[in-house]
C-alpha cells in the first residue's frame, strides 16, 4: 500500500452502537470501519481525498460494561433556532432538561485499544494542487503532533479517542496476552456477524452498508469500497 498509514487509538470506553438496538445502546465487539474513518478524518480530511479502512487490530481484550446515563429525549430544533435569529427573541428555543430527562442503559467496551490500517484515494474533487504525497505528509505531520480538527471519539462523543502515529517500518504496539484466545479469533476465526461498514451519503435515503465480519488472530479485515462483500 503506497500511501497507507497506521494509527494506534485507545481510550477508557467505546460505544460502536448496533443500529438494530433502538432503545438501549449495545456496542459491537470491535470498532466499525465507519468509526475508524471518523477518527482519521478528525486528523486530516479534505474533499480531495477519501479514506478507506484496510484492517483493524484488536490489542486489548474485548470486555463490556453496563452503564446508565441521563440524556434528554429531544434535540434543539434548527427551524426554531432560525426563526429566533430572525425575530431577535430566544423564546421557545430552550430545552428544559428537568422536563425531558431520560435514563438510558448502554453496554460499552472497556479500555479498548486498536491499530487502524488505512489508505486514501484521491476523489474527482482533487485539484491540480492535490497529490498523494502532499496529503500523506499532512496527515503524518498532524498525527505525529497530536493535531486534530476536533477531538476524535470511540463511537460517541463522550468517549474520547487518544491516538499516536505508528511510523512506517515500526512494530505494532504490543498486544495484551489476554487477547490470545478463541474469542479474539486465535486458533479459530470468530464470526462477528454483520457489522456496519459505513453509510452511503451519496445515495438517496443514505442507506447503511454492512459486511460479514470475521476476527482472525485479533485482526478484522475490512472489504474495500465497491466489494461484493458489502451489502445494503
Amino acid at each position: 500500500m503506497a500511501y497507507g498509514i497506521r494509527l494506534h487509538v485507545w481510550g477508557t470506553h467505546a460505544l460502536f452502537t448496533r443500529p438494530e438496538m433502538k432503545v438501549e445502546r449495545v456496542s459491537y465487539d470491535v470498532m466499525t470501519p465507519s468509526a475508524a474513518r471518523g477518527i482519521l478524518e478528525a486528523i486530516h480530511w479534505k474533499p480531495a481525498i477519501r479514506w478507506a479502512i484496510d484492517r483493524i487490530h484488536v490489542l486489548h481484550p474485548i470486555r463490556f460494561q453496563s452503564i446508565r446515563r441521563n440524556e434528554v429525549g429531544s434535540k434543539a430544533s434548527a427551524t426554531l433556532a432560525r426563526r429566533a435569529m430572525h425575530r431577535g427573541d430566544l423564546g421557545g428555543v430552550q430545552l428544559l432538561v428537568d422536563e425531558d430527562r431520560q435514563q438510558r442503559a448502554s453496554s460499552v467496551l472497556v479500555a479498548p485499544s486498536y491499530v487502524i490500517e488505512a489508505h486514501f484515494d484521491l476523489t474527482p474533487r482533487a485539484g491540480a494542487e492535490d497529490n498523494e504525497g502532499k496529503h500523506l505528509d499532512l496527515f503524518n505531520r498532524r498525527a505525529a503532533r497530536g493535531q486534530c480538527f476536533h477531538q476524535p471519539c470511540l463511537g460517541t462523543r463522550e468517549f474520547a479517542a487518544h491516538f499516536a502515529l505508528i511510523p512506517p517500518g515500526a512494530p505494532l504496539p504490543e498486544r495484551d496476552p489476554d487477547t490470545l484466545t478463541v474469542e479474539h479469533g486465535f486458533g479459530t476465526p470468530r464470526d462477528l456477524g454483520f457489522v456496519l461498514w459505513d453509510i452511503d451519503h451519496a445515495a438517496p435515503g443514505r442507506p447503511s452498508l454492512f459486511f460479514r465480519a470475521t476476527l482472525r488472530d485479533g485482526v478484522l479485515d475490512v472489504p474495500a469500497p465497491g466489494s461484493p462483500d458489502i451489502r445494503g
Side-chain angles (χ1 to χ4, degrees):
M1 193 67 64
Y3 299 103
I5 61 92
R6 298 181 301 170
L7 191 73
H8 180 201
V9 298
W10 68 94
T12 58
H13 295 84
L15 176 55
F16 309 112
T17 307
R18 290 178 176 271
E20 66 269 28
M21 303 296 182
K22 298 296 185 182
V23 179
E24 308 297 346
R25 299 190 178 100
V26 178
S27 178
Y28 284 114
D29 292 42
V30 178
M31 169 188 279
T32 61
S34 61
R37 177 181 55 78
I39 291 174
L40 301 182
E41 290 182 349
I43 298 171
H44 175 63
W45 178 82
K46 294 290 182 183
I49 66 171
R50 176 175 49 240
W51 286 104
I53 308 302
D54 299 316
R55 58 190 60 84
I56 297 172
H57 300 252
V58 180
L59 302 183
H60 281 184
I62 299 172
R63 293 189 292 121
F64 287 92
Q65 181 182 31
S66 294
I67 62 174
R68 286 188 177 275
R69 298 179 293 179
N70 290 326
E71 304 177 0
V72 292
S74 57
K75 60 182 180 181
S77 168
T79 301
L80 292 179
R82 281 194 296 269
R83 291 175 182 171
M85 290 173 62
H86 287 307
R87 68 172 183 264
D89 179 5
L90 296 179
V93 179
Q94 73 278 4
L95 284 176
L96 300 178
V97 176
D98 290 339
E99 297 178 1
D100 198 19
R101 179 179 292 143
Q102 297 179 352
Q103 192 171 64
R104 296 278 186 89
S106 299
S107 181
V108 305
L109 293 164
V110 180
S113 180
Y114 307 100
V115 168
I116 300 170
E117 287 191 43
H119 69 280
F120 63 83
D121 299 310
L122 293 181
T123 70
R125 299 176 67 181
E129 70 282 5
D130 292 303
N131 59 72
E132 292 87 346
K134 167 189 170 182
H135 288 286
L136 181 64
D137 289 342
L138 281 171
F139 178 86
N140 286 338
R141 185 164 61 246
R142 291 177 60 81
R145 294 175 178 174
Q147 294 176 317
C148 49
F149 294 113
H150 57 82
Q151 180 64 48
C153 64
L154 294 168
T156 53
R157 290 288 180 197
E158 58 265 53
F159 300 141
H162 307 284
F163 61 88
L165 181 69
I166 302 176
L172 297 182
E174 188 174 351
R175 187 188 300 277
D176 190 312
D178 289 342
T179 62
L180 306 178
T181 63
V182 174
E183 184 184 11
H184 299 84
F186 285 88
T188 303
R190 181 188 170 196
D191 184 4
L192 299 177
F194 283 99
V195 171
L196 178 68
W197 183 77
D198 213 326
I199 296 174
D200 187 354
H201 293 281
R206 299 182 177 182
S208 298
L209 304 176
F210 297 85
F211 71 106
R212 192 81 188 215
T214 302
L215 199 59
R216 292 184 176 87
D217 296 334
V219 180
L220 175 66
D221 288 307
V222 180
S227 168
D229 295 331
I230 301 171
R231 306 176 185 179

